[in-house]
Amino acid sequence: MEKRILDPHSYAYIFNELDPFITMVFVLIKPEAVYIIDTYCGSEYMAEIMADIENELKGKKLYVINTHFHWDHVWGNPYFEQTPIIAHYLCGTLMEESWETDLSEEGQHFKGEKRLVKPTVLIEDAGSWENEDIYIFHTPGHTRDGLSVLDKKSDFLYVGDNLERPIIQIYENNLDVYTDTLNKYVQMNPKQIHAGHSLAITLTEIEETIQYIDALKTGKPLELGDSFCQEIHESNQRYAAAEE
Ligand SMILES: [Zn+2]
């Protein structure tokens, strides 16, 4: 685990066990509360982070946010059994549906208590959760339960897996909805954009992602010239063409 200080009150904890992907857990330290964005692959990883921020947590409320249901973003939830966990209302159901398959396919990455702990504070379709410091809103795309988090003080936006370098991963036939979400990010024009597996995404990269989705909509074959990207692209094509 590596800690990257994005600004004095915003940290990225970077994990590299899921090579070739890096995976982030973000921690936002606010005057009244501390926010943890995603819980990576288990409570043992979360214990390391919580030990690191022990002093900054004193006397503050704690909130956890699951940006979406994928295992590499929620398996650390058991650490936060007593903490409000904010997510889209479908997140818990989708976690349940994929729990057994994910454990059998990816279980070697699990570090800690193997238990399914579902979110407790639920956001509706097109809904949001807000206080003085933080705005959390529904941003379907990579998955239908996607949430994004805007830190209103730093003007940093956290987008889960809706943006990813070098290529996004699509799991649903929802390209128009995905484009709407990305256009929303462009309009917000935040100071920094951070994603679940990529730091410091630029507006240009969002525009390129929108163009990529537009190309997918045409259904024409696309040569990406790189075998890793090509493989993900072909999976994206299959999902994008799937029956709803
Ligand atoms: Zn994901």
Side-chain angles (χ1 to χ4, degrees):
M1 177 183 86
E2 180 204 332
K3 180 182 187 179
R4 186 84 53 90
I5 297 178
L6 305 173
D7 82 358
H9 307 289
S10 316
Y11 313 140
Y13 290 88
I14 307 171
F15 295 91
N16 54 23
E17 290 81 4
L18 307 179
D19 189 48
F21 301 96
I22 57 166
T23 306
M24 264 67 79
V25 172
F26 298 99
V27 174
L28 314 182
I29 312 283
K30 294 293 157 191
E32 310 288 337
V34 170
Y35 299 85
I36 314 278
I37 304 177
D38 288 336
T39 65
Y40 191 50
C41 289
S43 46
E44 285 184 31
Y45 293 110
M46 291 303 100
E48 283 181 61
I49 292 179
M50 297 313 282
D52 189 59
I53 60 168
E54 196 184 343
N55 289 331
E56 291 159 288
L57 194 59
K58 282 197 180 113
K60 295 187 182 184
K61 273 190 247 167
L62 179 65
Y63 293 98
V64 171
I65 302 152
N66 288 151
T67 61
H68 62 296
F69 75 96
H70 283 163
W71 56 275
D72 50 332
H73 301 259
V74 300
W75 274 356
N77 283 8
Y79 189 92
F80 301 105
E81 184 112 57
Q82 309 302 324
T83 304
I85 301 179
I86 305 171
H88 183 261
Y89 80 98
L90 285 176
C91 181
T93 310
L94 294 166
M95 279 169 71
E96 266 171 352
E97 284 172 8
S98 56
W99 174 253
E100 290 297 335
T101 313
D102 290 347
L103 266 188
S104 67
E105 288 175 2
E106 309 291 350
Q108 75 274 18
H109 299 301
F110 215 128
K111 243 178 103 177
E113 224 184 312
K114 277 202 178 79
R115 208 151 48 79
L116 193 153
V117 172
K118 297 205 290 185
T120 48
V121 179
L122 307 180
I123 294 179
E124 296 295 314
D125 274 338
S128 61
W129 183 98
E130 186 166 16
N131 66 16
E132 199 186 335
D133 299 307
I134 298 288
Y135 175 54
I136 304 169
F137 56 112
H138 182 215
T139 49
H142 170 72
T143 57
R144 71 184 74 172
D145 69 329
L147 294 185
S148 299
V149 181
L150 178 71
D151 180 332
K152 296 194 246 179
K153 298 292 149 71
S154 65
D155 195 26
F156 294 175
L157 179 66
Y158 303 88
V159 298
D161 289 356
N162 278 339
L163 290 164
E164 185 165 341
R165 204 179 282 124
I167 184 167
I168 54 166
Q169 301 195 36
I170 287 169
Y171 293 99
E172 292 183 36
N173 175 359
N174 65 346
L175 298 182
D176 289 332
V177 170
Y178 205 148
T179 305
D180 289 345
T181 287
L182 298 182
N183 280 322
K184 199 178 281 178
Y185 297 155
V186 173
Q187 277 164 20
M188 291 174 88
N189 192 23
K191 204 160 157 188
Q192 292 185 18
I193 300 166
H194 301 293
H197 305 284
S198 309
L199 289 171
I201 302 259
T202 64
L203 281 181
T204 308
E205 286 173 310
I206 303 182
E207 301 286 4
E208 285 165 2
T209 305
I210 293 171
Q211 284 162 20
Y212 170 66
I213 293 174
D214 284 344
L216 269 180
K217 285 177 191 169
T218 69
K220 284 187 200 139
L222 213 56
E223 289 298 327
L224 297 180
D226 165 295
S227 64
F228 174 78
C229 290
Q230 193 66 33
E231 203 178 299
I232 292 174
H233 165 63
E234 281 163 20
S235 159
N236 288 346
Q237 265 182 326
R238 281 192 294 275
Y239 279 108
E243 294 290 321
E244 299 263 355

